[in-house]
Amino acid sequence: MDPSRRAVLGLGAGLMTAAGLAACGSSGQKDGDGPVTLTVWAREGDNSMEDQMGAFEAAHPGITVQLSSVSNDQYLTKFANAIRSGSVPDLINFDIINAPLLATQGQLTDITEQSKGLANLEDLAPAGIEVGTLEDAIFSLPVALTGSQMFWNKALFEAAGLDPEVPPTTLAEVKEFAEKIQATGEGISGFSTIGGAGGAFTGFPSGWADGGEIVSDPGPDQVSSFSDPAMVAMVAWYQDMWQSGLMQPTDEPNQDPGNVGQQNVLEGNVGIIFTGANTFSGKEDQFGSVAGIPGTSGELASFLGGNQAAIPLGAPHPEEAWTLLEWLVSDQEAAELNRTAGWIAPDLALAESLASDDWAAATVGSLAVGRLPISIAYFAIINDPNGPWAQNSQAVIFEGADPATTMARAQEQADQLIADAYRQIG
């Protein structure tokens, strides 16, 4: 069996087995009127949560938070084990892409009524609400977000005779500008993408900007759209950038330059970059930015990344857990701590009010055009390095495979994985 198929089926089986044991867990009742200790799981790498929990405790003297960091690749397995043992945490903060799978498995508390009572519900990032909603019921809310954007090195623009305040507006212009930048000197790369060449975070937005789709609406009839002409054109563009020598070299074939690429960007050796704003912490004055990534038409789109939070079924203190969740999505101090840590607060109106310059405004603006694929098979079809999107798009970009036929094959593989995932959950 394909490794990506085993991944999604194994996860589904683990959570389904755990679901049968959930009734054996805690009752979800609060401990009288005395002090309460909330157990909270944070996704590893969410550097805002520790400071936020301290601020929350200060504002809520009767509640203490016990925060645990869980690695992303172990998160779902650990949660399934917690359900089996009847010892779920009070609040889980997890990768936003996993929201559909967790909601479908029936292990999250329905928070529709509480969410609709939020004064700022209409201001929360729309894609974050959408991904946390299943059949009109809300099961999770966005708490710390980021978006993909285009950035450029102003000094390299000047060296290439380009206006440092005027970025390229289409993928064709990105290539044109990259050629001029790369001609300025040895060791200079015209373009880099930090987030996987042709991958979800920095690749999909170019296809979305041109009206493309990756998957249809979630549900048992969901299918992928990997052969959508806009998505095929996006992968073909990356192939051209690689074959033209304009994309920053990778350490190994078929791999994104990753941390080495980021270091080269920060050292001023790359002209145009598709990535997230976190990359440029402390270097913002050296780069320009726009609120998204362009396609071929001049439109912008962005991949909505970040963290979602939910209250598991059987949580020992669901009322206090909601108090925390409401604070995370609504409180100004929580929003300021997100900003300090490089995240964007889920309340876009609040985030905009905290934006102190054009850079910050563009970062927040990326969420207004932010999207993400909603599928219970997301990991298997897109994120898994052995899965259909990664394997086939990389074959096109780095090995010269034909874009149309290769992505059509990837679509067939993805459709089978989606069907398997829905069969597994019944």
Side-chain angles (χ1 to χ4, degrees):
M1 182 183 288
D2 184 274
S4 56
R5 183 173 298 151
R6 283 199 301 270
V8 71
L9 294 184
L11 173 59
L15 285 177
M16 287 299 287
T17 301
L21 300 176
C24 301
S26 61
S27 63
Q29 299 299 311
K30 60 189 292 187
D31 295 337
D33 296 322
V36 167
T37 297
L38 293 178
T39 55
V40 176
W41 290 1
R43 181 164 74 117
E44 191 174 66
D46 183 356
N47 52 329
S48 64
M49 282 290 283
E50 186 172 346
D51 288 340
Q52 284 181 323
M53 294 306 94
F56 174 78
E57 288 177 338
H60 300 80
I63 305 176
T64 300
V65 177
Q66 185 178 61
L67 182 65
S68 297
S69 179
V70 182
S71 66
N72 208 39
D73 59 350
Q74 294 295 317
Y75 204 109
L76 295 177
T77 300
K78 182 172 180 176
F79 184 52
N81 290 337
I83 298 169
R84 288 191 187 95
S85 65
S87 58
V88 296
D90 292 293
L91 190 79
I92 54 174
N93 172 358
F94 52 90
D95 191 331
I96 195 169
I97 64 168
N98 290 322
L101 177 59
L102 290 174
T104 302
Q105 296 295 341
Q107 291 306 306
L108 304 181
T109 298
D110 184 335
I111 54 172
T112 306
E113 183 177 352
Q114 299 98 311
S115 298
K116 289 186 174 180
L118 289 170
N120 66 332
L121 179 62
E122 296 300 317
D123 293 324
L124 298 183
I129 299 298
E130 182 184 6
V131 76
T133 301
L134 177 67
E135 297 177 353
D136 297 323
I138 300 174
F139 291 93
S140 63
L141 294 173
V143 291
L145 301 173
T146 188
S148 48
Q149 300 174 245
M150 178 176 69
F151 304 86
W152 64 94
N153 184 301
K154 293 183 177 182
L156 290 179
F157 264 52
E158 289 183 341
L162 299 166
D163 187 335
E165 303 303 325
V166 180
T169 59
T170 66
L171 291 181
E173 286 189 351
V174 170
K175 182 181 179 182
E176 177 188 338
F177 285 28
E179 289 173 335
K180 293 178 179 179
I181 291 165
Q182 195 150 312
T184 61
E186 186 176 351
I188 300 299
S189 293
F191 171 77
S192 182
T193 173
I194 304 175
F201 191 61
T202 55
F204 289 179
S206 292
W208 287 333
D210 291 334
E213 299 290 343
I214 281 293
V215 290
S216 63
D217 292 339
D221 296 326
Q222 184 177 61
V223 292
S224 67
S225 305
F226 289 5
S227 62
D228 184 301
M231 292 302 173
V232 172
M234 175 271 291
V235 175
W237 180 83
Y238 274 97
Q239 180 190 69
D240 179 48
M241 293 295 284
W242 178 254
Q243 291 178 347
S244 299
L246 297 172
M247 194 188 308
Q248 182 175 219
T250 57
D251 297 327
E252 297 179 33
N254 307 348
Q255 291 189 11
D256 178 77
N259 290 333
V260 173
Q262 179 170 317
Q263 188 62 35
N264 287 337
V265 166
L266 295 178
E267 289 177 355
N269 298 323
V270 181
I272 302 169
I273 311 98
F274 293 173
T275 184
N278 288 6
T279 298
F280 301 96
S281 179
K283 298 253 184 177
E284 294 88 347
D285 60 333
Q286 299 172 31
F287 296 85
S289 69
V290 293
I293 290 175
T296 62
S297 64
E299 297 295 321
L300 294 172
S302 177
F303 191 100
L304 181 77
N307 298 320
Q308 200 86 349
I311 303 169
L313 278 180
H317 311 101
E319 292 182 20
E320 289 83 358
W322 170 254
T323 299
L324 172 55
L325 182 50
E326 180 180 18
W327 185 86
L328 287 169
V329 303
S330 305
D331 188 83
Q332 179 165 334
E333 186 173 9
E336 290 172 343
L337 290 169
N338 266 331
R339 181 173 59 87
T340 300
W343 294 98
I344 307 168
D347 183 323
L348 299 188
L350 183 53
E352 287 173 4
S353 73
L354 296 174
S356 56
D357 51 31
D358 290 343
W359 178 280
T363 301
V364 176
S366 70
L367 297 194
V369 294
R371 299 177 54 182
L372 72 165
I374 300 177
S375 177
I376 66 170
Y378 181 96
F379 177 84
I381 66 174
I382 295 172
N383 267 19
D384 189 337
N386 297 308
W389 180 269
Q391 285 285 295
N392 288 282
S393 66
Q394 301 301 287
V396 172
I397 294 167
F398 295 111
E399 299 171 23
D402 179 72
T405 57
T406 303
M407 298 319 293
R409 180 173 63 247
Q411 179 169 305
E412 293 178 0
Q413 297 167 353
D415 288 347
Q416 184 62 55
L417 288 170
I418 294 170
D420 289 347
Y422 276 102
R423 275 196 295 271
Q424 180 65 31
I425 66 171

